[in-house]
Amino acid sequence: MKLLAQELPSPKAIQETPAPGNNQDPLIARGLQKEQYIGIIGLAIALVAAVGFFSRRVEYAIMFAIFLSALLIGFFLLV
């Protein structure tokens, strides 16, 4: 109960100080978005092709779902 009664510090008092002179964090991958999108699209195409090898109906269902999803995403982003 004591925690609820305590006063919180003001947001101005809480500040993050960046490390001096270290703007390049080696753990953050910068500039790889294009390659990631290409890889994801390639994996999606390979998945549809692999499923289509076994069942043509399931392949058509997956392609229809992807097309409908893209259409709905575009519609909701523009509205």
Side-chain angles (χ1 to χ4, degrees):
M1 214 49 187
K2 282 185 176 181
L3 292 176
L4 294 176
Q6 290 179 351
E7 264 188 55
L8 296 174
S10 69
K12 292 179 183 176
I14 302 172
Q15 293 179 352
E16 181 180 348
T17 55
N22 189 6
N23 293 336
Q24 297 296 328
D25 190 354
L27 297 178
I28 298 175
R30 295 187 189 335
L32 292 178
Q33 287 86 6
K34 200 178 296 184
E35 290 85 359
Q36 289 172 348
Y37 287 133
I38 291 170
I40 290 170
I41 291 171
L43 282 174
I45 291 171
L47 176 70
V48 170
V51 169
F53 180 74
F54 295 110
S55 174
R56 190 64 63 180
R57 283 185 182 175
V58 176
E59 178 186 11
Y60 290 150
I62 291 173
M63 287 192 307
F64 177 73
I66 290 171
F67 174 74
L68 187 63
S69 297
L71 191 71
L72 287 173
I73 288 170
F75 175 74
F76 287 121
L77 285 177
L78 294 176
V79 171

